[in-house]
Amino acid sequence: MRLKVASYNIRKAMGLDRRRDPARILKVLNKIGADVVMLQEADLRLGPRPTAIPRFLIEQETDYEVADVSVNDVSIGWHGNAMLVRKGLQSGGVRRLELPGLEPRGAVLVEVEGINFVGAHLGLMRRFRLLQMTAIREHLRGIETTAFIAGDFNEWSDVRGYEPWENDFKLVLPGRSYHAARPVAALDGFAYGNALRIEEMGVMRDGAARVASDHLPIWAELDRD
């Protein structure tokens, strides 16, 4: 079964024009047309971390359901990581993955059509990113062949910084995704197990994506062997 997947750091729906516009984020997602979307910075940092994109707006403007990864009724994510799944797809097996770090970090896992999707936003310092990658790898022991990790990996190097994943996952960086106004770094990427393969991938640079966040969304066409 082929699925289109996307990952997008939406910066709490704050655009480069300093407008917080959740409808614009959803417009970008609808244009990509992914079946599974991993979002980073999906919730605000205030108190109980209310969602940056109201649930009613997602229901009204898209064909997505919000995966049940939050721990309260006002968020859609956990540590800012959220996942949207197209209605009609089989999903479940939700898990919240604790990650080490100087600041609170976590990742979320949702099984969709037999693939274990992980959404993550890794730390700013490499030594903590390496620890976080190691923790994700250990959380996925036994299911790593069908794991698909996506997110803002925050690694500025294209050639090093992913060592904990080298033996278990294939890493791909679809292209420069940051800064949206002038992309210079491939901070957003995918890592996946050997039961999966990517047929196509890219970075969306069109229309509202150029101003909706400081990151550009990435996407891939995914197949399972």
Side-chain angles (χ1 to χ4, degrees):
M1 180 179 188
R2 177 175 286 201
L3 294 174
K4 189 172 187 180
V5 299
S7 178
Y8 194 10
N9 183 328
I10 64 171
R11 197 171 71 153
K12 307 170 189 67
M14 180 68 72
L16 300 186
D17 54 5
R18 305 304 301 169
R19 289 173 49 224
R20 195 181 303 280
D21 190 344
R24 180 166 56 186
I25 294 292
L26 296 180
K27 180 180 179 181
V28 173
L29 295 181
N30 283 333
K31 187 169 184 180
I32 296 172
D35 298 298
V36 180
V37 180
M38 276 71 74
L39 298 176
Q40 302 87 49
E41 298 192 30
D43 297 322
L44 306 180
R45 285 189 174 271
L46 307 172
R49 302 200 66 168
T51 177
I53 307 179
R55 288 176 182 266
F56 81 86
L57 199 61
I58 296 172
E59 295 171 2
Q60 177 179 298
E61 300 295 332
T62 77
D63 192 31
Y64 292 120
E65 294 178 329
V66 178
D68 188 21
V69 300
S70 65
V71 294
N72 60 41
D73 294 333
V74 299
S75 303
I76 64 168
W78 189 65
H79 288 290
N81 297 294
M83 202 173 302
L84 306 180
V85 180
R86 189 168 300 284
K87 293 175 182 175
L89 293 179
Q90 192 110 23
S91 66
V94 174
R95 289 168 56 192
R96 303 177 189 91
L97 313 182
E98 295 278 0
L99 301 182
L102 189 62
E103 55 183 316
R105 293 278 175 176
V108 296
L109 184 153
V110 180
E111 183 183 344
V112 181
E113 298 291 341
I115 299 173
N116 295 289
F117 288 96
V118 176
H121 186 186
L122 302 184
L124 297 174
M125 298 175 63
R126 179 177 284 171
R127 68 189 182 100
F128 288 114
R129 287 198 297 274
L130 295 175
L131 290 173
Q132 290 157 8
M133 290 179 194
T134 299
I136 290 172
R137 183 193 67 203
E138 294 308 310
H139 279 299
L140 294 174
R141 285 295 180 208
I143 57 171
E144 63 269 21
T145 60
T146 59
F148 188 89
I149 309 163
D152 178 358
F153 297 155
N154 258 324
E155 176 56 66
W156 287 74
S157 172
D158 294 344
V159 295
R160 59 187 298 254
Y162 294 96
E163 290 81 3
W165 287 348
E166 286 179 351
N167 293 329
D168 296 292
F169 307 109
K170 181 175 181 181
L171 174 77
V172 293
L173 304 172
R176 295 176 180 178
S177 56
Y178 182 86
H179 187 279
R182 187 181 179 185
V184 296
L187 299 188
D188 303 274
F190 304 124
Y192 56 97
N194 60 24
L196 308 175
R197 64 181 184 275
I198 286 179
E199 302 293 346
E200 298 179 68
M201 62 181 177
V203 180
M204 183 176 215
R205 300 184 173 91
D206 302 334
R210 294 177 295 180
V211 296
S213 171
D214 59 346
H215 283 247
L216 296 169
I218 59 173
W219 60 270
E221 295 279 357
L222 178 66
D223 262 340
R224 179 176 178 180
D225 289 332

